[in-house]
Amino acid sequence: MPAPAALDGFSPLISFILSTSALRDWAKLLIIGSFFETCRRLLATIWSSTIDSFFLTASFEDHDDSYKWMMIWLSKHPSWKYVRNVNISTNILYSGNVPDSEEEHDSSGISYLPALSGSYTLWYKYRWMRITRVSESVPGWLNHRESLNISIFTRNHDILNTILQDAKKAYQDAQGSTITVFISDSTNCWRELATRRKRPLDSIILDPGIRELVVEDAQDFLASKGWYAERGIPFRRGYLLYGAPGSGKTSLIHSIAGELELNVYIISLSRSGLDDTGLSELISYLPERCIALMEDIDAALHNSLSREDAPTPPNQTIQSVPSSVPTHTTSKVSLSGLLNALDGIGAQEGRILFATTNKYSSLDPALCRPGRMDLHVEFELASRYQAEELFKRFYLPSSHNSPADGEQEAKSSTAQSHRDDFARDGGSANLIDLGVPDNTADSTPSSPSACSEKSERVTPTYTGTRHRGHAPELSNDQLSALAAQFASAIPEREVSMAALQGYLMSQKSRPREAARGVSAWLQKELATKTA
């Protein structure tokens, strides 16, 4: 049978391929090439394995706490003073490794950190180290993710453990006076929002027993992990703080976070795009020891309610009032999704949950039951006790270099009896600065040119009190008397602590005027609330 015409042109090529000599030469080239390529790869693998056997490499991602440990530890390393390519940071967590100049001695808040996409070499306990900090673009809120790679010339893993322990200790020391606040991004990852200084517990003025109740309960919970484990109970605790706006709920949480040395993770249920799955992810990603904060949980779950409504006691029911302005939110969190996130199988253990609300009775009973909200604490409007303590703390004299009580009384009485004379002479450190222009005390006739210059200087018009005032130094007896006078004018449970603090801020350098004028201010405040 004759071959097809299409194959006639390939006959010489097929004959050449089938020839023995051509196959032999091709086999030689294949074998020799494969041999050299195998040797090259083998040598490269051996060389890489040999080098890697002498190096210990560790990677740290920016979403993990260990990344912050290492960055703070590196900021304390003295070698950064001589690095040629660095990032500058003024974060208060970093120690400040920039050397002071001869003229300027206030550069302790500036730190050198590894620059992005750069490699550096350091020495640590006679070990050579290479440090590389890289950044890559990712979809999400911050649009980038950073990592830190450290290679140590050593065959001993103990050196890495030592570095991690030193880095964690440096981080804890740096956080000695601060707490870190985190929020979630659109990818349901926790991102650092800010660093805040701790607030002393005694700066939170509540009725006796409330502050101690919450703090002691939280401390006992954190120390009871073994008790929960022995009984198979999930190691979680929830606190519901409810009551009037401006009564100190959020301030107490801030203070407790500092007292317990816990960071705060803010869970915003009204965040755009957040759904039940995203909420479960957020709560499951919480660290073991932290404070999870849900503020105004009633407004997030009941969009028809408004924060400005009066708080409802737990033994009363609220009446539904139609709202003329509907509230819209893009959040898709449901009540069942919130309940499952709080105590479901994926909920993180070891965390403390704080939820705040101004409308206690609007919350679903399933949300308030033990296991989700274990302790409910009511915050009422200000009492006379709170008003008195707030006044004392507000005008408390400085504890440093303060004169004796007798001297303070003499100075205060002198300032009170000769206030006008001292003000005319330029003022005194113990007097109240009333913000009166200096030229008001000048009775000497001035020249026409001077009058024209003064007429061009227009006094600014403003409302409020200037911040440059200085309060008089009061003795303990004087301060107690003024505080009692101030508290006696405050009706029980009718104004908030935030409103009282705002009033005292307007009189921050005038304690006597604050005590005398509180009645008039209170009438205006109550009239505004009832209007």
Side-chain angles (χ1 to χ4, degrees):
M1 181 177 180
L7 297 179
D8 292 343
F10 294 96
S11 299
L13 180 61
I14 296 175
S15 301
F16 175 76
I17 293 176
L18 295 179
S19 63
T20 306
S21 59
L23 288 176
R24 185 167 54 250
D25 294 338
W26 281 31
K28 289 179 182 179
L29 292 176
L30 180 62
I31 294 173
I32 294 173
S34 300
F35 173 76
F36 281 107
E37 178 63 19
T38 302
C39 293
R40 186 191 68 81
R41 295 189 180 187
L42 181 61
L43 291 175
T45 302
I46 294 174
W47 173 259
S48 178
S49 301
T50 303
I51 295 299
D52 291 343
S53 65
F54 289 97
F55 280 89
L56 181 61
T57 302
S59 298
F60 305 90
E61 302 293 337
D62 64 346
H63 58 80
D64 193 81
D65 288 341
S66 60
Y67 179 85
K68 295 190 287 290
W69 300 355
M70 295 305 302
M71 293 296 291
I72 292 177
W73 180 76
L74 289 172
S75 72
K76 297 176 180 291
H77 203 283
S79 299
W80 292 112
K81 299 177 183 179
Y82 312 105
V83 173
R84 309 292 293 179
N85 183 22
V86 296
N87 275 9
I88 305 299
S89 175
T90 57
N91 193 313
I92 61 177
L93 284 178
Y94 302 128
S95 60
N97 53 19
V98 177
D100 294 334
S101 61
E102 295 181 359
E103 295 82 7
E104 182 63 40
H105 300 282
D106 192 23
S107 61
S108 58
I110 304 175
S111 300
Y112 290 154
L113 298 175
L116 292 172
S117 303
S119 295
Y120 312 88
T121 58
L122 301 176
W123 288 90
Y124 175 75
K125 293 187 177 182
Y126 307 104
R127 266 84 168 185
W128 184 85
M129 299 171 51
R130 184 197 302 117
I131 298 171
T132 305
R133 184 182 174 197
V134 297
S135 176
E136 59 179 345
S137 299
V138 294
W141 179 49
L142 294 178
N143 298 324
H144 73 278
R145 179 170 296 168
E146 297 179 4
S147 62
L148 189 70
N149 301 320
I150 296 180
S151 297
I152 311 170
F153 187 70
T154 182
R155 294 177 60 88
N156 188 359
H157 279 73
D158 293 340
I159 189 66
L160 179 60
N161 297 333
T162 303
I163 291 177
L164 292 176
Q165 292 173 1
D166 291 348
K168 184 177 181 179
K169 185 178 184 302
Y171 177 77
Q172 292 173 345
D173 293 341
Q175 273 203 320
S177 60
T178 62
I179 60 173
T180 305
V181 181
F182 295 85
I183 61 173
S184 61
D185 59 16
S186 59
T187 61
N188 294 327
C189 293
W190 291 108
R191 298 293 179 181
E192 182 176 334
L193 174 64
T195 301
R196 297 286 180 260
R197 294 195 178 275
K198 295 179 179 179
R199 182 170 180 176
L201 274 174
D202 56 6
S203 68
I204 310 299
I205 301 174
L206 301 172
D207 285 325
I210 295 180
R211 182 180 62 198
E212 293 76 8
L213 168 68
V214 182
V215 173
E216 293 175 1
D217 188 271
Q219 290 174 337
D220 183 74
F221 164 74
L222 293 176
S224 305
K225 184 176 181 179
W227 186 90
Y228 280 81
E230 291 175 357
R231 290 156 179 81
I233 302 175
F235 185 51
R236 294 187 289 264
R237 189 74 173 169
Y239 298 88
L240 178 61
L241 310 184
Y242 67 93
S247 55
K249 298 185 289 292
T250 304
S251 298
L252 179 62
I253 296 171
H254 181 183
S255 182
I256 291 177
E259 179 70 17
L260 302 180
E261 298 183 350
L262 301 177
N263 292 327
V264 178
Y265 290 75
I266 299 177
I267 302 175
S268 177
L269 299 179
S270 58
R271 196 199 76 195
S272 176
L274 183 65
D275 56 10
D276 294 345
T277 303
L279 179 62
S280 298
E281 291 179 359
L282 282 178
I283 294 183
S284 63
Y285 292 158
L286 289 172
E288 184 176 356
R289 287 176 57 91
C290 72
I291 287 179
L293 174 59
M294 295 182 181
E295 291 191 283
D296 298 326
I297 193 171
D298 57 313
L301 294 177
H302 302 275
N303 296 322
S304 61
L305 297 178
S306 172
R307 287 198 63 195
E308 285 70 24
D309 295 341
T312 305
N315 57 353
Q316 297 182 8
T317 59
I318 61 171
Q319 297 178 354
S320 59
V321 179
S323 176
S324 58
V325 181
T327 303
H328 299 281
T329 177
T330 57
S331 175
K332 302 176 182 177
V333 176
S334 63
L335 177 60
S336 61
L338 175 60
L339 299 180
N340 291 329
L342 292 180
D343 61 356
I345 191 172
Q348 178 62 281
E349 296 192 4
R351 56 95 180 130
I352 296 178
L353 172 66
F354 278 94
T356 66
T357 179
N358 299 328
K359 308 175 185 66
Y360 182 87
S361 58
S362 67
L363 299 181
D364 192 281
L367 180 62
C368 301
R369 72 165 178 80
R372 291 172 180 149
M373 302 296 174
D374 302 279
L375 189 63
H376 303 188
V377 183
E378 182 180 8
F379 285 69
E380 299 182 280
L381 293 173
S383 63
R384 288 194 175 94
Y385 167 82
Q386 290 177 279
E388 184 174 353
E389 293 299 317
L390 178 64
F391 190 95
K392 290 180 180 179
R393 184 170 186 85
F394 208 90
Y395 297 107
L396 185 69
S398 175
S399 59
H400 301 287
N401 301 326
S402 59
D405 289 347
E407 297 178 0
Q408 290 178 346
E409 293 176 3
K411 290 182 179 180
S412 300
S413 61
T414 302
Q416 180 70 17
S417 60
H418 303 287
R419 179 180 303 168
D420 295 335
D421 295 336
F422 273 91
R424 192 179 300 110
D425 292 338
S428 170
N430 296 329
L431 282 181
I432 303 172
D433 185 358
L434 298 178
V436 181
D438 294 339
N439 55 8
T440 58
D442 189 2
S443 59
T444 305
S446 56
S447 62
S449 61
C451 293
S452 62
E453 290 180 1
K454 291 184 178 180
S455 62
E456 294 176 357
R457 296 167 58 185
V458 180
T459 303
T461 302
Y462 61 91
T463 302
T465 304
R466 299 175 65 181
H467 195 274
R468 70 185 183 98
H470 300 282
E473 295 180 355
L474 302 174
S475 67
N476 292 333
D477 293 339
Q478 290 174 321
L479 183 60
S480 298
L482 289 175
Q485 178 185 351
F486 174 80
S488 63
I490 304 298
E492 288 282 346
R493 313 299 184 188
E494 292 194 22
V495 293
S496 66
M497 288 292 289
L500 290 179
Q501 180 172 307
Y503 168 73
L504 293 180
M505 278 298 297
S506 68
Q507 304 287 339
K508 81 177 189 68
S509 58
R510 302 172 174 82
R512 295 183 178 87
E513 285 78 355
R516 289 196 299 263
V518 64
S519 298
W521 168 84
L522 192 60
Q523 291 179 358
K524 296 180 180 179
E525 184 74 11
L526 295 178
T528 303
K529 291 178 62 176
T530 56

